[in-house]
Amino acid sequence: MKTIALRIDVDTFRGTGRGVPALCRILEKYGVRGTFYFSVGPDNMGRHLWRLLRPAFLWKMLRTNAAGLYGPEIVLMGTAWPGPKIGRRHAGVIRAAMEAGHEVGFHAWDHHRAQAKLTTMSAEAMRSELRTGLAELERITGVAPRTSAAPGWRSNAQLLEVKSEFPFDYNSDCRGEFPFYPVVNGRRLEQLQIPVTLPTYDEALGRDGVTDENYNEFQISLLKPEQLNVITIHAEAEGGRCAGMFEEYLRRVLELGYRVVPLGVVAAEVKESAPEGRMELKAFPGREGVLAVQI
Ligand SMILES: [Zn+2]
């Protein structure tokens, strides 16, 4: 069956407050459900953006017009004042997404810190980051999330081992081609990995002549009808400035006969048949630094 698993990353205060309700409205209109990965702690993404003001990142900012995409307060958030706690203020938004039938997964406590430091943290620091965030998400939704997604696809063997101590059924921590059971230090972990197979908006834009005008065409050309497709959208982009474009994408892929489903639907279908596999941190087209890639 032609399938697109829809993953929605929510990284910021504004993305949660404005982007998530906007995306819920679009998805409702087409009867589509997806998996929202929420960040629930402090929004320090502005600090993140400033920290990364290196040439490659500056180029990307210019290429994608990050200030226009994310909005000025996201660029400033957490630089001059402590970042507001997303889960405290936007618990209602997270609950509403769940009540609308979407799958709710765990993305981060502090997205900025996790993306910058998670792979170099001690196992104990990783545990504590996960515990704090999961407790907050569970306080909000009343249930323990069954899935998680490492911010920025920054993941390593130690993080996978730490995650295996938590009650996740499956995770989406890397880029790749097909779902697999990661083998870490000679041991097969029982939490399925569902890699993201398609590029994100900010990765694709400005490369190989991709513009807002031909972006959907480009995304659709990458779909593989015979294989599982997994796309990541961001509440900050597709729930904001790119909302119209995303709605058009959804309309077109549904017309092409794709079903668009939460990652959990796919996880249940491939659970028995998925092979073992590995991943490692590598440079990735359109991204700053390294991220976990299926090998
Ligand atoms: Zn993220």
PDB file of all heavy atoms in Angstrom, residues 9 11 107 111 151-152 234, ligand 1:
ATOM      1  N   ASP A   9       7.409  17.507  14.083  1.00  0.00           N
ATOM      2  CA  ASP A   9       8.278  17.919  15.181  1.00  0.00           C
ATOM      3  C   ASP A   9       7.847  19.290  15.692  1.00  0.00           C
ATOM      4  O   ASP A   9       7.606  20.202  14.896  1.00  0.00           O
ATOM      5  CB  ASP A   9       9.741  17.994  14.717  1.00  0.00           C
ATOM      6  CG  ASP A   9      10.370  16.613  14.567  1.00  0.00           C
ATOM      7  OD1 ASP A   9       9.625  15.613  14.564  1.00  0.00           O
ATOM      8  OD2 ASP A   9      11.614  16.546  14.452  1.00  0.00           O
ATOM      9  N   ASP A  11       9.247  22.140  18.143  1.00  0.00           N
ATOM     10  CA  ASP A  11      10.504  22.486  18.814  1.00  0.00           C
ATOM     11  C   ASP A  11      10.394  23.691  19.744  1.00  0.00           C
ATOM     12  O   ASP A  11      11.261  23.891  20.584  1.00  0.00           O
ATOM     13  CB  ASP A  11      11.574  22.839  17.764  1.00  0.00           C
ATOM     14  CG  ASP A  11      11.900  21.686  16.823  1.00  0.00           C
ATOM     15  OD1 ASP A  11      11.410  20.572  17.055  1.00  0.00           O
ATOM     16  OD2 ASP A  11      12.661  21.920  15.860  1.00  0.00           O
ATOM     17  N   HIS A 107       9.623  14.493  22.183  1.00  0.00           N
ATOM     18  CA  HIS A 107      10.734  15.030  21.393  1.00  0.00           C
ATOM     19  C   HIS A 107      11.867  15.455  22.329  1.00  0.00           C
ATOM     20  O   HIS A 107      12.981  14.980  22.199  1.00  0.00           O
ATOM     21  CB  HIS A 107      10.224  16.215  20.576  1.00  0.00           C
ATOM     22  CG  HIS A 107      11.111  16.597  19.427  1.00  0.00           C
ATOM     23  ND1 HIS A 107      11.933  15.710  18.780  1.00  0.00           N
ATOM     24  CD2 HIS A 107      11.281  17.784  18.788  1.00  0.00           C
ATOM     25  CE1 HIS A 107      12.581  16.339  17.816  1.00  0.00           C
ATOM     26  NE2 HIS A 107      12.214  17.597  17.796  1.00  0.00           N
ATOM     27  N   HIS A 111      14.851  21.353  23.997  1.00  0.00           N
ATOM     28  CA  HIS A 111      15.238  20.983  22.628  1.00  0.00           C
ATOM     29  C   HIS A 111      16.630  21.498  22.285  1.00  0.00           C
ATOM     30  O   HIS A 111      17.449  20.795  21.698  1.00  0.00           O
ATOM     31  CB  HIS A 111      14.205  21.524  21.639  1.00  0.00           C
ATOM     32  CG  HIS A 111      14.350  20.985  20.246  1.00  0.00           C
ATOM     33  ND1 HIS A 111      15.390  21.324  19.417  1.00  0.00           N
ATOM     34  CD2 HIS A 111      13.587  20.104  19.537  1.00  0.00           C
ATOM     35  CE1 HIS A 111      15.247  20.690  18.258  1.00  0.00           C
ATOM     36  NE2 HIS A 111      14.167  19.943  18.305  1.00  0.00           N
ATOM     37  N   PRO A 151      15.928  15.096  19.139  1.00  0.00           N
ATOM     38  CA  PRO A 151      16.019  16.398  18.461  1.00  0.00           C
ATOM     39  C   PRO A 151      17.190  16.441  17.487  1.00  0.00           C
ATOM     40  O   PRO A 151      18.303  16.044  17.815  1.00  0.00           O
ATOM     41  CB  PRO A 151      16.237  17.379  19.611  1.00  0.00           C
ATOM     42  CG  PRO A 151      15.640  16.709  20.788  1.00  0.00           C
ATOM     43  CD  PRO A 151      15.890  15.234  20.591  1.00  0.00           C
ATOM     44  N   GLY A 152      16.924  16.927  16.303  1.00  0.00           N
ATOM     45  CA  GLY A 152      17.977  17.088  15.299  1.00  0.00           C
ATOM     46  C   GLY A 152      18.584  15.768  14.846  1.00  0.00           C
ATOM     47  O   GLY A 152      19.670  15.761  14.277  1.00  0.00           O
ATOM     48  N   HIS A 234       7.644  20.494  10.392  1.00  0.00           N
ATOM     49  CA  HIS A 234       7.835  21.224  11.650  1.00  0.00           C
ATOM     50  C   HIS A 234       6.649  22.143  11.904  1.00  0.00           C
ATOM     51  O   HIS A 234       6.223  22.859  10.989  1.00  0.00           O
ATOM     52  CB  HIS A 234       9.133  22.037  11.604  1.00  0.00           C
ATOM     53  CG  HIS A 234      10.344  21.195  11.824  1.00  0.00           C
ATOM     54  ND1 HIS A 234      10.982  20.520  10.802  1.00  0.00           N
ATOM     55  CD2 HIS A 234      11.021  20.888  12.965  1.00  0.00           C
ATOM     56  CE1 HIS A 234      12.012  19.843  11.313  1.00  0.00           C
ATOM     57  NE2 HIS A 234      12.067  20.051  12.619  1.00  0.00           N
TER      58      HIS A 234
HETATM   59 ZN    ZN B   1      13.129  19.202  16.669  1.00  0.00          ZN
END
